[in-house]
């Protein structure tokens, strides 16, 4: 009885304790579930879906990687707004943002008469000794100052090619600054002449790697003209210059103005340069042009201080004597006049002896006519082969021992002039050397004039009938960016770029269109384009955008495969945006599936005023203020 009274209360207590523990555990579980669920929902509402929530008793543990430290703090605050902040355990992480961005590798090569300086940052893996040796070799053994630093970072694949191209460019430019980046080579240089400038620009454009953007700033100082030459003709074909040199822009304008007064038409150029024999050059030249006009026609040549005037055939001797006398007395004393009034000659039955050379557009050169002896024949053939190529020359001449003296000099001078023509002919006679043809060199007539003045001597007659054609000019003949865009649009209008159904593979007819566009782009250096791809509205937006991007990329790849430099071309897919036709019809959907080429025009450059211009502007402003103050004072006095 007694034991029963003891165990009964004890059992009751144990059962009560077990029930209390069970209810406590159940309550804890309920609290854990509700807390974690509430916190998880609050985080999702704030788009913190990267955060994981786990309950540990009454505590809530947050884990996961927050994009930034600020986002991590907002996630913790959000959880603390749902439950007691002391119950929130922060196990969140943030990506390491202390990684240092890799440096930009670049080399500046400065070359002048004293040597080459290398400045910049190169990868540690670059063979420094090899680089210095290569620069020294390309700079003709000039001393090289090494100011390069190194850094151990990954370098772009195009770095080696850009550096090689920069060094090759250095060898062609003795006065230059060449800046090399992984995807860009910038060239600043001084050339000796305008023609050399054009040649350098053309050469660099052709040799630049496809994946390198080339930026050129080649300047040509005022050339030294030797000899200073003017050759002006006035005949039944009108007035024209074969060569024109001037010492200043004002002198050039005066010479051209007088020439236009007596019949010069169209665009005429006069090279401004150094080397004039006298400051009174324009005065002398304009006097000579007026004298030629008074004579009634002929040819006037100034070679430094030597003046040669060849009157037109049939000029009365009295007029000739009077005009020449006035010219000799009017010109400055430094000039010496040599004048000829040609006599009409009667030729024999066979006419005067001749030598002719013709050059075809394909480059074939045929030599015909008379040469005085076997030695001159061999010399002429060797000269022609050296000038035009040994496989381009065809010799069909015959010997004539009765030819005038210096015949071989006239022949070689004519062949040298023929070398400045793309195609044409030269004719050599005892009293005439004549050149006819077309050229892509705007300075060809001037060069020929100097050749004949130097080789034939004073008073010798020569005619130059040479036409400059821009399309033959390797630099000026290149189309403008506007013309490039027009050619591309014309190709797309003739046949659009299309693809195999639901793919990014060009269909066969479209390859001809891409070929045409590629040939155009090869002539359009530096043209910045966007290749825009579009689809119709069928299908999901995401898939259409992806397909349009793949098709734009396919066109870009096709251009690259055709050796087009694509460093300034980007490809963008716009999906079904910007339809140009109704997507409810088959024809409209076909029109909307298209590739467009868009010209990304550069922003206009606002040039900052130079120091001199700023001084002049300040002076003008102060002058204006002074004048305004003076005017106000005068008004008050009145």
């Amino acid at each position: 009885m007694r034991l029963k009274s003891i165990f009964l209360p004890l059992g009751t207590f144990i059962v009560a304790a077990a029930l209390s523990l069970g209810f406590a555990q159940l309550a804890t579980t309920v609290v854990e579930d509700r807390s974690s669920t509430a916190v998880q929902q609050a985080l999702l509402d704030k788009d913190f879906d990267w955060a994981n929530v786990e309950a540990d008793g009454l505590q809530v543990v947050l884990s996961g990687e927050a994009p930034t430290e600020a986002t991590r703090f907002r996630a913790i605050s959000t959880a603390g707004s749902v439950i007691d902040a002391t119950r929130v355990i922060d196990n969140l992480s943030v990506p390491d943002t202390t990684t240092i961005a890799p440096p930009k590798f670049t080399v500046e090569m400065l070359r002048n008469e004293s040597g080459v300086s290398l400045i910049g940052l190169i990868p540690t893996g670059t063979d420094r000794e090899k680089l210095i040796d290569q620069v020294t070799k390309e700079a003709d053994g000039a001393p090289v100052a090494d100011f390069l630093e190194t850094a151990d970072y990954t370098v772009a694949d195009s770095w080696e090619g850009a550096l090689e191209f920069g060094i090759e460019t250095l060898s062609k430019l003795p006065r230059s600054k060449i800046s090399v980046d992984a995807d860009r080579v910038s060239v600043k240089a001084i050339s000796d002449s305008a023609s050399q400038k054009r040649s350098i620009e053309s050469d660099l454009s052709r040799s630049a790697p496809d994946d390198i953007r080339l930026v050129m700033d080649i300047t040509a100082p005022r050339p030294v003209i030797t000899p200073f030459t003017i050759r002006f003709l006035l005949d039944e074909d009108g007035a024209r210059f074969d060569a024109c040199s001037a010492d200043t822009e004002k002198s050039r304008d005066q010479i051209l103005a007088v020439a236009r007064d007596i019949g010069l038409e169209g665009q005429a150029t006069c090279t401004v340069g150094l080397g004039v024999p006298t400051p009174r050059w324009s005065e002398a030249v304009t006097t000579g042009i007026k004298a030629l006009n008074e004579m009634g026609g002929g040819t006037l040549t100034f070679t430094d201080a030597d003046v040669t005037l060849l009157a037109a055939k049939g000029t009365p001797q009295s007029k000739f004597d009077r005009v020449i006398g006035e010219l000799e007395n009017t010109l400055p004393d430094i000039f010496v006049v040599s004048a000829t009034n040609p006599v009409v000659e009667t030729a024999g039955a066979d006419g005067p002896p001749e030598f002719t050379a013709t050059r075809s557009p394909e480059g074939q050169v045929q030599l015909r006519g008379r040469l005085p002896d076997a030695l001159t024949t061999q010399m002429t053939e060797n000269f022609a082969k050296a000038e035009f190529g040994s496989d381009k020359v065809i010799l069909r001449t015959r010997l004539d021992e009765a030819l005038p003296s210096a015949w071989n000099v006239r022949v070689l001078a004519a062949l040298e002039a023929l070398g400045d023509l793309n195609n044409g002919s030269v004719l050599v006679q005892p009293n005439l050397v004549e050149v006819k043809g077309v050229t892509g060199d705007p300075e060809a007539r001037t060069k020929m004039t100097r050749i004949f003045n130097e080789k034939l001597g004073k008073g010798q007659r020569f005619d130059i009938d040479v036409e400059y054609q821009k399309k033959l000019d390797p630099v000026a003949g290149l189309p403008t960016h506007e013309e490039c865009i027009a050619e591309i649009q014309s190709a797309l209008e003739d046949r659009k770029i299309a693809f195999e159904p639901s793919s990014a593979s060009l269909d066969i007819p479209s390859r001809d269109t891409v070929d045409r566009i590629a040939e155009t782009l090869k002539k359009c250096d530096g043209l910045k384009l966007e290749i825009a791809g579009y689809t119709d509205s069928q299908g999901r937006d995401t898939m259409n955008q992806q397909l349009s991007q793949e098709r734009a990329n396919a066109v870009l790849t096709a251009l690259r495969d055709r050796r087009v430099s694509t460093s300034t071309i980007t490809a963008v897919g716009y999906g079904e945006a910007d339809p140009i036709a109704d997507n409810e019809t088959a024809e409209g959907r076909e029109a909307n599936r298209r590739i467009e080429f868009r010209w990304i025009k550069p922003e206009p450059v606002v040039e900052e005023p130079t120091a001199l211009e700023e001084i002049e502007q300040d002076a003008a402003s102060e002058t204006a203020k002074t004048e305004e103050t003076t005017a106000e004072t005068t008004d008050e006095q009145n």
Side-chain angles (χ1 to χ4, degrees):
M1 245 346 248
R2 193 170 176 184
L3 289 175
K4 184 177 180 181
S5 62
I6 294 173
F7 282 111
L8 182 61
L10 180 62
T12 303
F13 177 78
I14 292 173
V15 172
L19 291 174
S20 297
L21 180 62
F23 281 119
Q25 290 178 342
L26 179 61
T28 301
T29 301
V30 171
V31 171
E32 286 181 352
D33 291 342
R34 289 183 176 179
S35 296
S36 62
T37 301
V39 171
Q40 185 73 66
Q41 186 60 48
L43 292 175
L44 290 175
D45 291 341
K46 297 288 187 178
D47 291 329
F48 298 147
D49 52 357
W50 43 265
N52 299 318
V53 180
E54 294 181 1
D56 184 8
L58 297 178
Q59 295 179 328
V60 174
V61 181
L62 303 184
S63 62
E65 186 175 78
T68 64
E69 184 64 37
T71 308
R72 168 182 167 275
F73 179 78
R74 287 197 296 269
I76 295 172
S77 299
T78 300
S81 66
V82 177
I83 63 174
D84 188 352
T86 59
R87 295 169 55 196
V88 179
I89 305 301
D90 175 18
N91 283 345
L92 297 173
S93 62
V94 179
D96 185 10
T97 58
T98 61
T99 303
I100 300 175
K104 181 180 181 181
F105 292 111
T106 180
V107 173
E108 282 197 354
M109 308 178 192
L110 309 177
R111 183 181 179 187
N112 53 32
E113 290 78 4
S114 60
V116 180
S117 297
L118 302 181
I119 305 169
L121 182 69
I122 61 175
T124 303
T126 301
D127 189 334
R128 200 184 192 106
E129 290 187 7
K130 180 181 178 182
L131 172 63
I132 301 301
D133 290 342
Q134 191 175 0
V135 172
T136 303
K137 179 181 178 182
E138 296 294 349
D140 299 325
V144 178
D146 180 6
F147 301 106
L148 295 172
E149 301 290 341
T150 60
D152 189 10
Y153 285 90
T154 303
V155 65
D157 294 338
S158 59
W159 167 258
E160 291 294 337
L163 188 59
E164 288 287 339
F165 176 66
I167 296 173
E168 292 174 8
T169 302
L170 188 73
S171 68
K172 304 172 185 177
L173 304 171
R175 292 167 292 173
S176 59
K177 172 185 175 183
I178 302 170
S179 302
V180 178
D181 295 338
D183 57 354
R184 182 176 182 268
V185 175
S186 176
V187 179
K188 290 186 177 181
I190 300 176
S191 62
D192 293 329
S193 64
S195 60
Q196 187 187 51
K197 173 181 181 293
R198 292 153 49 85
S199 177
I200 291 172
E201 290 173 338
S202 178
D203 184 27
L204 293 182
S205 296
R206 287 195 302 267
S207 59
D210 291 340
D211 56 348
I212 299 299
R213 182 187 174 199
L214 175 61
V215 180
M216 292 182 289
D217 181 11
I218 313 294
T219 58
R222 184 172 294 184
V224 177
I225 302 174
T226 306
F228 232 69
T229 306
I230 289 280
R231 189 166 192 261
F232 184 74
L233 294 86
L234 183 61
D235 52 26
E236 61 274 7
D237 294 329
R240 63 191 183 278
F241 284 100
D242 276 345
C244 182
S245 304
D247 54 327
T248 64
E249 286 79 5
K250 181 179 179 181
S251 172
R252 174 197 61 197
D253 295 342
Q254 290 173 343
I255 293 170
L256 294 178
V258 171
R260 289 193 175 94
D261 288 342
I262 66 172
L264 177 67
E265 297 179 351
Q267 185 177 5
T269 59
C270 198
T271 304
V272 178
L274 305 175
V276 66
T278 172
R280 300 178 65 185
W281 174 259
S282 62
E283 175 190 341
V285 171
T286 54
T287 300
I289 293 174
K290 292 175 181 177
L292 186 70
N293 182 50
E294 188 176 355
M295 185 86 71
T299 303
L300 174 69
T301 305
F302 279 74
T303 307
D304 285 337
D306 294 326
V307 183
T308 303
L309 193 150
L310 180 65
K313 289 184 178 181
T315 301
Q317 189 64 36
S318 59
K319 177 187 285 189
F320 176 81
D321 293 337
R322 175 178 59 80
V323 172
I324 296 302
E326 292 175 353
L327 178 62
E328 289 177 334
N329 291 322
T330 306
L331 287 175
D333 292 339
I334 189 176
F335 292 96
V336 178
V337 178
S338 174
T340 303
N341 190 11
V343 178
V344 179
E345 300 178 358
T346 56
D350 295 335
E354 292 183 348
F355 170 86
T356 62
T358 59
R359 187 179 189 184
S360 70
E362 295 75 27
Q364 292 291 335
V365 176
Q366 295 193 20
L367 310 180
R368 297 187 177 90
R370 308 183 194 186
L371 294 173
D373 50 51
L375 181 61
T376 301
T377 301
Q378 186 64 48
M379 178 178 63
T380 302
E381 183 179 14
N382 291 342
F383 182 89
K385 287 182 177 180
E387 181 76 19
F388 307 107
S390 58
D391 59 334
K392 301 290 186 180
V393 177
I394 301 174
L395 184 67
R396 294 176 179 173
T397 59
R398 63 189 182 92
L399 300 183
D400 183 354
E401 297 180 355
L403 292 172
S405 60
W407 185 262
N408 56 342
V409 175
R410 300 171 72 84
V411 167
L412 294 181
L415 289 177
E416 188 175 351
L418 185 65
D420 287 321
L421 298 179
N422 287 72
N423 61 279
S425 64
V426 292
L427 168 67
V428 177
Q429 293 180 343
N431 296 316
L432 172 68
V433 175
E434 182 180 78
V435 185
K436 294 182 178 180
V438 296
T439 180
D441 183 359
E443 300 292 328
R445 297 173 71 94
T446 300
K447 292 179 182 178
M448 293 175 188
T449 298
R450 290 175 181 156
I451 290 171
F452 293 144
N453 280 335
E454 179 183 349
K455 302 293 176 61
L456 304 185
K458 299 179 183 178
Q460 295 298 312
R461 182 185 169 201
F462 55 91
D463 291 339
I464 302 174
D465 183 11
V466 173
E467 177 188 0
Y468 166 72
Q469 294 185 356
K470 182 179 178 181
K471 66 180 181 180
L472 300 176
D473 192 325
V475 176
L478 297 176
T480 64
H481 286 179
E482 290 83 357
E483 292 170 339
C484 292
I485 293 297
E487 289 185 23
I488 293 173
Q489 296 304 329
S490 176
L492 292 173
E493 289 172 3
D494 291 343
R495 177 178 292 168
K496 67 181 291 186
I497 296 177
F499 300 84
E500 300 295 340
S502 301
S503 79
S505 299
L506 289 167
D507 64 11
I508 294 177
S510 296
R511 296 172 188 173
D512 293 337
T513 304
V514 176
D515 288 341
R516 283 182 59 184
I517 294 175
E519 291 303 314
T520 297
L521 290 176
K522 288 177 182 178
K523 301 179 293 183
C524 304
D525 182 54
L527 180 62
K528 195 171 183 180
L529 290 175
E530 178 187 274
I531 302 174
Y534 292 93
T535 66
D536 57 32
S537 63
Q538 292 184 321
R540 290 183 296 171
D541 293 351
T542 303
M543 294 186 63
N544 284 337
Q545 194 281 327
Q546 181 179 355
L547 179 60
S548 66
Q549 182 67 56
E550 291 173 353
R551 288 179 171 180
N553 290 340
V555 175
L556 182 63
T557 301
L559 293 174
R560 189 179 294 117
D561 292 342
R562 288 159 174 78
R563 301 191 62 78
V564 173
S565 176
T566 57
S567 59
T568 59
I569 304 177
T570 57
V572 180
Y574 291 97
E576 60 190 62
D578 302 326
I580 59 174
D582 187 359
N583 274 307
E584 298 301 320
T585 66
E587 294 79 6
R589 290 191 294 272
E590 172 62 26
N592 289 331
R593 295 191 293 269
R594 68 195 189 277
I595 291 290
E596 294 182 356
F597 283 77
R598 293 174 180 166
W599 180 19
I600 304 175
K601 297 184 179 181
E603 295 292 332
V605 178
V606 179
E607 296 186 357
E608 296 293 333
T610 64
L612 178 59
E613 290 173 339
E614 289 180 348
I615 293 173
E616 292 175 346
Q617 290 172 4
D618 292 342
S621 177
E622 291 298 326
T623 301
K625 290 179 180 178
T626 301
E627 292 176 351
E628 183 179 349
T629 302
T630 302
E632 291 176 353
T633 303
T634 302
D635 290 342
E636 291 175 358
Q637 291 174 350
N638 291 336

